[in-house]
Amino acid sequence: METDSKRLESGKVIPIATDAALLHPEDQRLDRNFNLLSLCSVGLVTGNVWAALGFAFCFIRVRDNSDKSVALEALSLWLCTTEDRRGITVALFYFIIAACIAELASSLPSSGGCYHWSSVAAGPKYGRICGFFTGYWNFSAWILGPMSISAIIGNICVQMYALYHPDYVQERWHVYVCYLIITWTCISVVLFANRLLPAINNMGLFFILSGLLITILVCAIMPSRNGGEYASNDFVWKDWVQDLGYPDGFVFCMGLLNGAFAIGTPDCCSHIAEEIPRPDINVPKAIVAQLSIGFVTAFAYMIAMFYAINNLDSVLSGSATFPLAEIYHQATGSSAGTIGLLLVILLPLICTNIGLYLTASRMLWALARDDATPFSHVIGRVNSRWRNPFNAILVCGVLVTCLGAIYVGSTTAFNAFVGSFVVFSTLSYVGAILPHLLTRRKYMNPGPFWMKGTPGLVMHALACGYMIVFIVIFCFPYALPTTAASMNYTVLVTGAETIVVSLFWLRKRSRGYQGPKALMDGQWGADAAELSSVPEKIN
């Protein structure tokens, strides 16, 4: 096993492994099926930034009593954030966050990602509790991701049917049926096609890049061919449209939620770290590729889409629950063209959903093999036949199925869960980066990608400051005055989940929870046990 050592304040030497996979028994390791290209594909396909931005304001329309769509907030904000200075500001902060995550991934590549980084970076005294909460925040985010994408795909399918059936009346259970079909189709691929996953992600990357090119060309060319109009330059680059009851500056900050939803997943590649050679080098490269290509493609897509809008009121007040179809209809001038563009975005989304289940299952598996979940001896096993965490994948599918049923009963409640994705993921990044900063990065052995000295500390401080401020902003109501239907329930969902995790932590702690055993035993060694205060297991 390849190890280095790092000296603690106490003067004791603690070995730190450069590859967490080597700390586990051989029959419990995952096969290294991925290479750098397929790992980059995982990041780009799972992030799918340009499509995510299209859906950030188009997926669910929440109305207040005045029948003004809260989707207007997202649209108006992106009209402004595509402006050079503001758009680059959003991207800049996420590049800083990604740089911090790349440093951690380079130092300690592991399928646990933020969970393991937090456990090590916080030190022997606080590592277990920090890692426990960070791990569950991260897993909560990744389980909400496929919820939102499955619902988006369900809405696309229903909307495509409605385009050719004007008398059709959409019911929520219609979307849920499509939701179930896509959920278990993607789960089946992750369960039974483990060796094909790199090729599937490469295919998804082709769909994403070719779909982007087709969409941009259609939105840029078709309005002039079908006698339609383009939006004005002022509409795209200058005009500000918002009627939410907040000052313009605060609305701008709230609108950054859309960027976070789309580009704010720089840790997804890290969860494949135990399935690729030299993860300490390749994972940071994939993170850089994901953020760079994602930003460029999203920027180009949003410009093309906004120029294609010639009737904003129709987009915001149409009878459909999927306004992106209206934008495409304005661009193409036909139902056939609209369905064609929806198909172009549907195929990459299916690959995205597969990537989300891949990521979520690896995160759950990492928690379970460290005895941090119920039935961990079952969930944390690698299936000898399929060479993957089979049971963890099944659990993810069951959770998404059960949570998706909320959509049938209440879209407001469903939106509350889906809308919490960004807050949970951001909390997990804070949980990993902030302890690393507060301990002055002394517990993590520098990897190939390491920001040295004061500049590194400044980068981590900027990332933490940005995330802490915007976690609070993202919990504000979408508009004022607010109603029960338009209220932002993210703070309720996040708080309730954290309370449940706290109770589970007390139970696990009383039973001798030891944290990530592979890291405690293989990296901190016996010295860490002397510095920790974990109680003995109660028989």
Side-chain angles (χ1 to χ4, degrees):
M1 180 171 58
E2 195 177 329
T3 62
D4 293 298
S5 62
K6 184 164 182 70
R7 187 170 297 275
L8 289 179
E9 247 180 342
S10 61
K12 299 179 180 179
V13 175
I14 294 178
I16 297 182
T18 59
D19 192 342
L22 301 178
L23 298 172
H24 297 279
E26 188 170 352
D27 64 340
Q28 290 305 303
R29 300 178 193 171
L30 299 176
D31 296 335
R32 297 186 187 270
N33 296 323
F34 289 82
N35 55 29
L36 180 58
L37 174 61
S38 56
L39 183 63
C40 291
S41 297
V42 169
L44 290 163
V45 170
T46 304
N48 200 357
V49 180
W50 69 269
L53 283 180
F55 294 122
F57 69 87
C58 287
F59 170 40
I60 298 171
R61 179 181 295 132
V62 183
R63 296 180 183 275
D64 61 18
N65 290 335
S66 63
D67 201 39
K68 294 178 181 176
S69 175
V70 174
L72 177 61
E73 172 262 342
L75 178 58
S76 64
L77 265 300
W78 268 107
L79 284 171
C80 294
T81 52
T82 49
E83 186 179 355
D84 285 348
R85 290 176 296 174
R86 293 170 182 173
I88 291 174
T89 300
V90 178
L92 174 62
F93 277 107
Y94 276 98
F95 273 109
I96 292 173
I97 295 169
C100 297
I101 289 176
E103 176 179 288
L104 293 167
S106 177
S107 300
L108 182 58
S110 164
S111 291
C114 294
Y115 161 53
H116 283 167
W117 304 332
S118 178
S119 298
V120 174
K125 186 174 182 180
Y126 299 107
R128 291 172 179 84
I129 185 171
C130 288
F132 193 87
F133 280 87
T134 299
Y136 270 98
W137 285 332
N138 193 255
F139 172 67
S140 297
W142 285 114
I143 209 64
L144 294 177
M147 271 183 66
S148 63
I149 297 300
S150 294
I152 287 171
I153 295 174
N155 271 277
I156 289 179
C157 295
V158 170
Q159 190 64 34
M160 289 169 65
Y161 178 84
L163 284 171
Y164 281 101
H165 298 81
D167 297 331
Y168 166 70
V169 178
Q170 179 175 325
E171 300 287 347
R172 288 198 290 265
W173 68 267
H174 299 166
V175 176
Y176 184 59
V177 169
C178 296
Y179 176 102
L180 292 177
I181 293 172
I182 191 61
T183 292
W184 287 100
T185 299
C186 294
I187 284 290
S188 298
V189 171
V190 180
L191 283 172
F192 303 115
N194 189 57
R195 293 185 180 277
L196 296 177
L197 288 176
I200 291 171
N201 278 279
N202 289 340
M203 180 177 65
L205 178 61
F206 169 78
F207 285 148
I208 286 174
L209 296 180
S210 59
L212 171 70
L213 180 61
I214 292 170
T215 303
I216 290 176
L217 290 176
V218 170
C219 289
I221 296 171
M222 286 301 293
S224 63
R225 297 295 180 90
N226 60 28
E229 298 179 356
Y230 293 100
S232 66
N233 289 331
D234 286 346
F235 175 82
V236 176
W237 299 102
K238 182 179 178 182
D239 291 346
W240 180 275
V241 183
Q242 76 94 2
D243 185 17
L244 303 176
Y246 290 110
D248 285 350
F250 189 78
V251 174
F252 173 81
C253 293
M254 290 179 68
L256 300 185
L257 174 64
N258 300 306
F261 177 80
I263 205 170
T265 57
D267 69 312
C268 61
C269 297
S270 70
H271 297 286
I272 315 298
E274 297 179 32
E275 301 174 62
I276 183 173
R278 291 308 308 270
D280 55 332
I281 294 176
N282 288 325
V283 172
K285 288 181 179 178
I287 292 173
V288 172
Q290 176 191 348
L291 268 291
S292 302
I293 298 175
F295 172 72
V296 172
T297 55
F299 193 86
Y301 172 74
M302 295 305 289
I303 293 174
M305 189 169 69
F306 283 133
Y307 272 110
I309 297 174
N310 55 56
N311 188 339
L312 180 60
D313 291 337
S314 178
V315 172
L316 296 176
S317 62
S319 60
T321 60
F322 201 70
L324 185 61
E326 174 62 25
I327 296 176
Y328 285 166
H329 192 271
Q330 291 183 15
T332 62
S334 68
S335 296
T338 301
I339 287 182
L341 288 182
L342 289 176
L343 281 173
V344 163
I345 206 169
L346 178 64
L347 293 175
L349 280 176
I350 294 173
C351 296
T352 295
N353 219 27
I354 293 172
L356 287 168
Y357 283 114
L358 175 66
T359 304
S361 63
R362 269 44 175 184
M363 183 62 237
L364 179 60
W365 170 64
L367 285 166
R369 70 180 176 181
D370 296 333
D371 194 28
T373 69
F375 310 107
S376 56
H377 62 288
V378 176
I379 299 174
R381 300 294 297 176
V382 172
N383 186 282
S384 58
R385 178 181 179 183
W386 301 107
R387 300 304 302 155
N388 61 20
F390 196 91
N391 296 332
I393 299 168
L394 280 178
V395 170
C396 289
V398 172
L399 285 174
V400 172
T401 298
C402 294
L403 290 170
I406 298 172
Y407 185 86
V408 179
S410 170
T411 54
T412 299
F414 185 83
N415 295 347
F417 280 92
V418 171
S420 302
F421 168 82
V422 172
V423 172
F424 277 125
S425 61
T426 307
L427 278 172
S428 70
Y429 301 157
V430 173
I433 297 173
L434 186 59
H436 191 44
L437 172 66
L438 295 178
T439 57
R440 300 187 67 84
R441 304 190 294 171
K442 68 180 180 181
Y443 291 113
M444 298 289 284
N445 198 40
F449 180 83
W450 185 264
M451 295 177 287
K452 297 180 180 179
T454 301
L457 293 174
V458 171
M459 291 283 280
H460 285 75
L462 287 172
C464 290
Y466 171 83
M467 289 188 290
I468 291 171
V469 170
F470 278 89
I471 286 173
V472 176
I473 292 175
F474 292 161
C475 292
F476 272 72
Y478 299 118
L480 295 177
T482 190
T483 66
S486 63
M487 177 62 184
N488 184 354
Y489 292 100
T490 294
V491 66
L492 176 62
V493 173
T494 306
E497 189 267 2
T498 302
I499 291 172
V500 172
V501 172
S502 299
L503 296 175
F504 191 56
W505 158 253
L506 293 175
R507 176 181 172 83
K508 278 294 183 181
R509 184 179 184 276
S510 69
R511 297 195 172 197
Y513 170 70
Q514 294 294 310
K517 291 185 286 293
L519 301 181
M520 302 300 182
D521 298 339
Q523 297 176 38
W524 284 358
D527 291 335
E530 299 175 11
L531 297 174
S532 66
S533 56
V534 177
E536 294 296 325
K537 183 176 181 179
I538 300 174
N539 295 319

